[in-house]
PDB file of all heavy atoms in Angstrom:
ATOM      1  N   PHE A 223     -38.576-153.445 -56.493  1.00 93.00           N
ATOM      2  CA  PHE A 223     -38.832-152.039 -56.814  1.00 93.00           C
ATOM      3  C   PHE A 223     -39.692-151.369 -55.738  1.00 93.00           C
ATOM      4  O   PHE A 223     -39.445-150.214 -55.360  1.00 93.00           O
ATOM      5  CB  PHE A 223     -39.508-151.923 -58.178  1.00 93.00           C
ATOM      6  CG  PHE A 223     -38.608-152.245 -59.338  1.00 93.00           C
ATOM      7  CD1 PHE A 223     -38.800-153.391 -60.075  1.00 93.00           C
ATOM      8  CD2 PHE A 223     -37.556-151.405 -59.670  1.00 93.00           C
ATOM      9  CE1 PHE A 223     -37.968-153.694 -61.140  1.00 93.00           C
ATOM     10  CE2 PHE A 223     -36.711-151.695 -60.728  1.00 93.00           C
ATOM     11  CZ  PHE A 223     -36.917-152.856 -61.471  1.00 93.00           C
ATOM     12  N   ILE A 224     -40.687-152.098 -55.240  1.00 92.00           N
ATOM     13  CA  ILE A 224     -41.544-151.523 -54.201  1.00 92.00           C
ATOM     14  C   ILE A 224     -40.779-151.391 -52.888  1.00 92.00           C
ATOM     15  O   ILE A 224     -40.927-150.392 -52.172  1.00 92.00           O
ATOM     16  CB  ILE A 224     -42.807-152.388 -54.018  1.00 92.00           C
ATOM     17  CG1 ILE A 224     -43.675-152.285 -55.272  1.00 92.00           C
ATOM     18  CG2 ILE A 224     -43.591-151.948 -52.784  1.00 92.00           C
ATOM     19  CD1 ILE A 224     -44.954-153.086 -55.210  1.00 92.00           C
ATOM     20  N   SER A 225     -39.947-152.373 -52.567  1.00 89.00           N
ATOM     21  CA  SER A 225     -39.150-152.301 -51.329  1.00 89.00           C
ATOM     22  C   SER A 225     -38.186-151.132 -51.352  1.00 89.00           C
ATOM     23  O   SER A 225     -37.892-150.535 -50.312  1.00 89.00           O
ATOM     24  CB  SER A 225     -38.386-153.617 -51.122  1.00 89.00           C
ATOM     25  OG  SER A 225     -39.272-154.687 -50.896  1.00 89.00           O
ATOM     26  N   ASN A 226     -37.666-150.798 -52.541  1.00 91.00           N
ATOM     27  CA  ASN A 226     -36.758-149.655 -52.642  1.00 91.00           C
ATOM     28  C   ASN A 226     -37.473-148.346 -52.310  1.00 91.00           C
ATOM     29  O   ASN A 226     -36.882-147.447 -51.693  1.00 91.00           O
ATOM     30  CB  ASN A 226     -36.166-149.582 -54.055  1.00 91.00           C
ATOM     31  CG  ASN A 226     -35.146-150.672 -54.308  1.00 91.00           C
ATOM     32  OD1 ASN A 226     -34.542-151.190 -53.363  1.00 91.00           O
ATOM     33  ND2 ASN A 226     -34.955-151.043 -55.560  1.00 91.00           N
ATOM     34  N   LYS A 227     -38.743-148.229 -52.705  1.00 91.00           N
ATOM     35  CA  LYS A 227     -39.509-147.011 -52.430  1.00 91.00           C
ATOM     36  C   LYS A 227     -40.105-147.018 -51.025  1.00 91.00           C
ATOM     37  O   LYS A 227     -40.191-145.983 -50.368  1.00 91.00           O
ATOM     38  CB  LYS A 227     -40.632-146.860 -53.461  1.00 91.00           C
ATOM     39  CG  LYS A 227     -40.145-146.524 -54.867  1.00 91.00           C
ATOM     40  CD  LYS A 227     -41.334-146.245 -55.793  1.00 91.00           C
ATOM     41  CE  LYS A 227     -40.864-145.830 -57.168  1.00 91.00           C
ATOM     42  NZ  LYS A 227     -41.993-145.529 -58.087  1.00 91.00           N
ATOM     43  N   TYR A 228     -40.509-148.225 -50.573  1.00 91.00           N
ATOM     44  CA  TYR A 228     -41.157-148.345 -49.261  1.00 91.00           C
ATOM     45  C   TYR A 228     -40.482-149.494 -48.507  1.00 91.00           C
ATOM     46  O   TYR A 228     -40.944-150.641 -48.552  1.00 91.00           O
ATOM     47  CB  TYR A 228     -42.658-148.612 -49.422  1.00 91.00           C
ATOM     48  CG  TYR A 228     -43.360-147.542 -50.225  1.00 91.00           C
ATOM     49  CD1 TYR A 228     -43.584-147.711 -51.598  1.00 91.00           C
ATOM     50  CD2 TYR A 228     -43.778-146.356 -49.631  1.00 91.00           C
ATOM     51  CE1 TYR A 228     -44.201-146.729 -52.340  1.00 91.00           C
ATOM     52  CE2 TYR A 228     -44.401-145.361 -50.377  1.00 91.00           C
ATOM     53  CZ  TYR A 228     -44.607-145.557 -51.730  1.00 91.00           C
ATOM     54  OH  TYR A 228     -45.226-144.576 -52.469  1.00 91.00           O
ATOM     55  N   PRO A 229     -39.366-149.200 -47.835  1.00 88.00           N
ATOM     56  CA  PRO A 229     -38.551-150.250 -47.197  1.00 88.00           C
ATOM     57  C   PRO A 229     -39.306-151.095 -46.184  1.00 88.00           C
ATOM     58  O   PRO A 229     -38.940-152.262 -45.967  1.00 88.00           O
ATOM     59  CB  PRO A 229     -37.423-149.447 -46.520  1.00 88.00           C
ATOM     60  CG  PRO A 229     -37.374-148.161 -47.271  1.00 88.00           C
ATOM     61  CD  PRO A 229     -38.777-147.867 -47.668  1.00 88.00           C
ATOM     62  N   THR A 230     -40.335-150.544 -45.546  1.00 86.00           N
ATOM     63  CA  THR A 230     -41.050-151.331 -44.533  1.00 86.00           C
ATOM     64  C   THR A 230     -42.072-152.282 -45.142  1.00 86.00           C
ATOM     65  O   THR A 230     -42.727-153.030 -44.413  1.00 86.00           O
ATOM     66  CB  THR A 230     -41.773-150.398 -43.543  1.00 86.00           C
ATOM     67  OG1 THR A 230     -42.618-149.501 -44.264  1.00 86.00           O
ATOM     68  CG2 THR A 230     -40.767-149.608 -42.723  1.00 86.00           C
ATOM     69  N   ALA A 231     -42.231-152.281 -46.457  1.00 87.00           N
ATOM     70  CA  ALA A 231     -43.150-153.225 -47.111  1.00 87.00           C
ATOM     71  C   ALA A 231     -42.415-154.550 -47.320  1.00 87.00           C
ATOM     72  O   ALA A 231     -41.866-154.824 -48.391  1.00 87.00           O
ATOM     73  CB  ALA A 231     -43.630-152.660 -48.443  1.00 87.00           C
ATOM     74  N   ILE A 232     -42.389-155.373 -46.292  1.00 84.00           N
ATOM     75  CA  ILE A 232     -41.647-156.638 -46.319  1.00 84.00           C
ATOM     76  C   ILE A 232     -42.318-157.625 -47.273  1.00 84.00           C
ATOM     77  O   ILE A 232     -43.531-157.807 -47.242  1.00 84.00           O
ATOM     78  CB  ILE A 232     -41.573-157.241 -44.908  1.00 84.00           C
ATOM     79  CG1 ILE A 232     -40.843-156.276 -43.969  1.00 84.00           C
ATOM     80  CG2 ILE A 232     -40.865-158.579 -44.928  1.00 84.00           C
ATOM     81  CD1 ILE A 232     -40.830-156.743 -42.529  1.00 84.00           C
ATOM     82  N   TYR A 233     -41.509-158.263 -48.108  1.00 84.00           N
ATOM     83  CA  TYR A 233     -42.042-159.260 -49.034  1.00 84.00           C
ATOM     84  C   TYR A 233     -42.081-160.621 -48.355  1.00 84.00           C
ATOM     85  O   TYR A 233     -41.072-161.114 -47.846  1.00 84.00           O
ATOM     86  CB  TYR A 233     -41.179-159.336 -50.297  1.00 84.00           C
ATOM     87  CG  TYR A 233     -41.499-160.532 -51.174  1.00 84.00           C
ATOM     88  CD1 TYR A 233     -42.765-160.679 -51.730  1.00 84.00           C
ATOM     89  CD2 TYR A 233     -40.540-161.510 -51.423  1.00 84.00           C
ATOM     90  CE1 TYR A 233     -43.069-161.776 -52.526  1.00 84.00           C
ATOM     91  CE2 TYR A 233     -40.833-162.603 -52.225  1.00 84.00           C
ATOM     92  CZ  TYR A 233     -42.100-162.728 -52.777  1.00 84.00           C
ATOM     93  OH  TYR A 233     -42.399-163.804 -53.558  1.00 84.00           O
ATOM     94  N   VAL A 234     -43.254-161.233 -48.344  1.00 78.00           N
ATOM     95  CA  VAL A 234     -43.436-162.564 -47.770  1.00 78.00           C
ATOM     96  C   VAL A 234     -44.097-163.449 -48.817  1.00 78.00           C
ATOM     97  O   VAL A 234     -45.185-163.144 -49.296  1.00 78.00           O
ATOM     98  CB  VAL A 234     -44.316-162.527 -46.493  1.00 78.00           C
ATOM     99  CG1 VAL A 234     -44.478-163.933 -45.927  1.00 78.00           C
ATOM    100  CG2 VAL A 234     -43.714-161.593 -45.460  1.00 78.00           C
ATOM    101  N   HIS A 235     -43.424-164.525 -49.167  1.00 77.00           N
ATOM    102  CA  HIS A 235     -43.984-165.466 -50.129  1.00 77.00           C
ATOM    103  C   HIS A 235     -45.081-166.265 -49.448  1.00 77.00           C
ATOM    104  O   HIS A 235     -44.938-166.697 -48.307  1.00 77.00           O
ATOM    105  CB  HIS A 235     -42.890-166.402 -50.617  1.00 77.00           C
ATOM    106  CG  HIS A 235     -43.224-167.104 -51.902  1.00 77.00           C
ATOM    107  ND1 HIS A 235     -42.294-167.779 -52.638  1.00 77.00           N
ATOM    108  CD2 HIS A 235     -44.400-167.249 -52.564  1.00 77.00           C
ATOM    109  CE1 HIS A 235     -42.863-168.293 -53.705  1.00 77.00           C
ATOM    110  NE2 HIS A 235     -44.141-167.984 -53.678  1.00 77.00           N
ATOM    111  N   CYS A 236     -46.187-166.516 -50.134  1.00 73.00           N
ATOM    112  CA  CYS A 236     -47.293-167.312 -49.601  1.00 73.00           C
ATOM    113  C   CYS A 236     -46.756-168.657 -49.109  1.00 73.00           C
ATOM    114  O   CYS A 236     -46.107-169.397 -49.857  1.00 73.00           O
ATOM    115  CB  CYS A 236     -48.347-167.531 -50.681  1.00 73.00           C
ATOM    116  SG  CYS A 236     -49.585-168.768 -50.267  1.00 73.00           S
ATOM    117  N   VAL A 237     -47.006-168.983 -47.822  1.00 75.00           N
ATOM    118  CA  VAL A 237     -46.442-170.207 -47.247  1.00 75.00           C
ATOM    119  C   VAL A 237     -46.993-171.458 -47.924  1.00 75.00           C
ATOM    120  O   VAL A 237     -46.275-172.450 -48.119  1.00 75.00           O
ATOM    121  CB  VAL A 237     -46.689-170.269 -45.726  1.00 75.00           C
ATOM    122  CG1 VAL A 237     -45.820-169.273 -44.993  1.00 75.00           C
ATOM    123  CG2 VAL A 237     -48.162-170.037 -45.401  1.00 75.00           C
ATOM    124  N   SER A 238     -48.273-171.425 -48.294  1.00 74.00           N
ATOM    125  CA  SER A 238     -48.862-172.588 -48.963  1.00 74.00           C
ATOM    126  C   SER A 238     -48.223-172.791 -50.333  1.00 74.00           C
ATOM    127  O   SER A 238     -47.904-173.921 -50.729  1.00 74.00           O
ATOM    128  CB  SER A 238     -50.376-172.401 -49.099  1.00 74.00           C
ATOM    129  OG  SER A 238     -50.963-173.525 -49.721  1.00 74.00           O
ATOM    130  N   HIS A 239     -48.022-171.682 -51.053  1.00 74.00           N
ATOM    131  CA  HIS A 239     -47.383-171.776 -52.369  1.00 74.00           C
ATOM    132  C   HIS A 239     -45.929-172.183 -52.226  1.00 74.00           C
ATOM    133  O   HIS A 239     -45.395-172.913 -53.070  1.00 74.00           O
ATOM    134  CB  HIS A 239     -47.492-170.432 -53.092  1.00 74.00           C
ATOM    135  CG  HIS A 239     -47.158-170.514 -54.544  1.00 74.00           C
ATOM    136  ND1 HIS A 239     -46.410-169.556 -55.199  1.00 74.00           N
ATOM    137  CD2 HIS A 239     -47.440-171.455 -55.478  1.00 74.00           C
ATOM    138  CE1 HIS A 239     -46.252-169.894 -56.457  1.00 74.00           C
ATOM    139  NE2 HIS A 239     -46.873-171.035 -56.666  1.00 74.00           N
ATOM    140  N   SER A 240     -45.269-171.734 -51.156  1.00 76.00           N
ATOM    141  CA  SER A 240     -43.883-172.146 -50.903  1.00 76.00           C
ATOM    142  C   SER A 240     -43.795-173.656 -50.737  1.00 76.00           C
ATOM    143  O   SER A 240     -42.866-174.298 -51.235  1.00 76.00           O
ATOM    144  CB  SER A 240     -43.350-171.450 -49.644  1.00 76.00           C
ATOM    145  OG  SER A 240     -43.230-170.065 -49.838  1.00 76.00           O
ATOM    146  N   LEU A 241     -44.761-174.225 -50.021  1.00 77.00           N
ATOM    147  CA  LEU A 241     -44.771-175.671 -49.829  1.00 77.00           C
ATOM    148  C   LEU A 241     -45.002-176.380 -51.156  1.00 77.00           C
ATOM    149  O   LEU A 241     -44.343-177.381 -51.460  1.00 77.00           O
ATOM    150  CB  LEU A 241     -45.856-176.068 -48.827  1.00 77.00           C
ATOM    151  CG  LEU A 241     -45.981-177.565 -48.532  1.00 77.00           C
ATOM    152  CD1 LEU A 241     -44.691-178.097 -47.918  1.00 77.00           C
ATOM    153  CD2 LEU A 241     -47.154-177.847 -47.606  1.00 77.00           C
ATOM    154  N   ASN A 242     -45.930-175.858 -51.974  1.00 77.00           N
ATOM    155  CA  ASN A 242     -46.187-176.460 -53.284  1.00 77.00           C
ATOM    156  C   ASN A 242     -44.926-176.459 -54.151  1.00 77.00           C
ATOM    157  O   ASN A 242     -44.615-177.436 -54.830  1.00 77.00           O
ATOM    158  CB  ASN A 242     -47.300-175.707 -54.008  1.00 77.00           C
ATOM    159  CG  ASN A 242     -48.673-176.046 -53.470  1.00 77.00           C
ATOM    160  OD1 ASN A 242     -48.837-177.022 -52.747  1.00 77.00           O
ATOM    161  ND2 ASN A 242     -49.659-175.246 -53.808  1.00 77.00           N
ATOM    162  N   LEU A 243     -44.191-175.340 -54.130  1.00 76.00           N
ATOM    163  CA  LEU A 243     -42.966-175.245 -54.921  1.00 76.00           C
ATOM    164  C   LEU A 243     -41.903-176.200 -54.401  1.00 76.00           C
ATOM    165  O   LEU A 243     -41.159-176.810 -55.176  1.00 76.00           O
ATOM    166  CB  LEU A 243     -42.441-173.805 -54.900  1.00 76.00           C
ATOM    167  CG  LEU A 243     -43.282-172.768 -55.661  1.00 76.00           C
ATOM    168  CD1 LEU A 243     -42.726-171.371 -55.434  1.00 76.00           C
ATOM    169  CD2 LEU A 243     -43.310-173.091 -57.146  1.00 76.00           C
ATOM    170  N   ALA A 244     -41.827-176.326 -53.080  1.00 78.00           N
ATOM    171  CA  ALA A 244     -40.853-177.238 -52.489  1.00 78.00           C
ATOM    172  C   ALA A 244     -41.140-178.677 -52.914  1.00 78.00           C
ATOM    173  O   ALA A 244     -40.232-179.428 -53.288  1.00 78.00           O
ATOM    174  CB  ALA A 244     -40.876-177.121 -50.963  1.00 78.00           C
ATOM    175  N   LEU A 245     -42.400-179.063 -52.880  1.00 77.00           N
ATOM    176  CA  LEU A 245     -42.780-180.417 -53.269  1.00 77.00           C
ATOM    177  C   LEU A 245     -42.567-180.630 -54.761  1.00 77.00           C
ATOM    178  O   LEU A 245     -42.120-181.700 -55.196  1.00 77.00           O
ATOM    179  CB  LEU A 245     -44.243-180.671 -52.907  1.00 77.00           C
ATOM    180  CG  LEU A 245     -44.590-180.609 -51.421  1.00 77.00           C
ATOM    181  CD1 LEU A 245     -46.073-180.871 -51.205  1.00 77.00           C
ATOM    182  CD2 LEU A 245     -43.772-181.608 -50.630  1.00 77.00           C
ATOM    183  N   SER A 246     -42.872-179.596 -55.546  1.00 77.00           N
ATOM    184  CA  SER A 246     -42.698-179.699 -56.997  1.00 77.00           C
ATOM    185  C   SER A 246     -41.232-179.887 -57.359  1.00 77.00           C
ATOM    186  O   SER A 246     -40.882-180.733 -58.192  1.00 77.00           O
ATOM    187  CB  SER A 246     -43.249-178.441 -57.679  1.00 77.00           C
ATOM    188  OG  SER A 246     -43.059-178.510 -59.075  1.00 77.00           O
ATOM    189  N   ASN A 247     -40.351-179.123 -56.723  1.00 77.00           N
ATOM    190  CA  ASN A 247     -38.922-179.234 -57.008  1.00 77.00           C
ATOM    191  C   ASN A 247     -38.356-180.567 -56.530  1.00 77.00           C
ATOM    192  O   ASN A 247     -37.486-181.155 -57.174  1.00 77.00           O
ATOM    193  CB  ASN A 247     -38.160-178.090 -56.344  1.00 77.00           C
ATOM    194  CG  ASN A 247     -38.418-176.758 -57.027  1.00 77.00           C
ATOM    195  OD1 ASN A 247     -38.911-176.718 -58.140  1.00 77.00           O
ATOM    196  ND2 ASN A 247     -38.116-175.676 -56.357  1.00 77.00           N
ATOM    197  N   SER A 248     -38.849-181.044 -55.387  1.00 76.00           N
ATOM    198  CA  SER A 248     -38.341-182.310 -54.858  1.00 76.00           C
ATOM    199  C   SER A 248     -38.744-183.476 -55.754  1.00 76.00           C
ATOM    200  O   SER A 248     -38.063-184.497 -55.803  1.00 76.00           O
ATOM    201  CB  SER A 248     -38.867-182.550 -53.438  1.00 76.00           C
ATOM    202  OG  SER A 248     -40.266-182.732 -53.433  1.00 76.00           O
ATOM    203  N   ALA A 249     -39.852-183.329 -56.493  1.00 78.00           N
ATOM    204  CA  ALA A 249     -40.331-184.395 -57.379  1.00 78.00           C
ATOM    205  C   ALA A 249     -39.537-184.470 -58.680  1.00 78.00           C
ATOM    206  O   ALA A 249     -39.902-185.225 -59.579  1.00 78.00           O
ATOM    207  CB  ALA A 249     -41.812-184.200 -57.681  1.00 78.00           C
ATOM    208  N   GLU A 250     -38.467-183.698 -58.794  1.00 80.00           N
ATOM    209  CA  GLU A 250     -37.625-183.766 -59.981  1.00 80.00           C
ATOM    210  C   GLU A 250     -36.705-184.977 -59.952  1.00 80.00           C
ATOM    211  O   GLU A 250     -35.966-185.216 -60.906  1.00 80.00           O
ATOM    212  CB  GLU A 250     -36.796-182.482 -60.126  1.00 80.00           C
ATOM    213  CG  GLU A 250     -37.626-181.261 -60.540  1.00 80.00           C
ATOM    214  CD  GLU A 250     -38.389-181.508 -61.834  1.00 80.00           C
ATOM    215  OE1 GLU A 250     -37.773-181.922 -62.826  1.00 80.00           O
ATOM    216  OE2 GLU A 250     -39.610-181.311 -61.831  1.00 80.00           O
TER     217      GLU A 250
END
């Protein structure tokens, strides 16, 4: 919704949290 109003507001997922999610999913 924010990107639609402000296209230059690029969404970047926290890299540390991305790693945590990757490890969590791999542990399945």
Side-chain angles (χ1 to χ4, degrees):
F223 289 110
I224 292 180
S225 295
N226 287 336
K227 290 186 177 181
Y228 303 96
T230 55
I232 299 175
Y233 168 61
V234 180
H235 199 167
C236 168
V237 288
S238 181
H239 193 221
S240 293
L241 180 62
N242 283 346
L243 291 174
L245 297 180
S246 179
N247 289 344
S248 66
E250 288 304 308

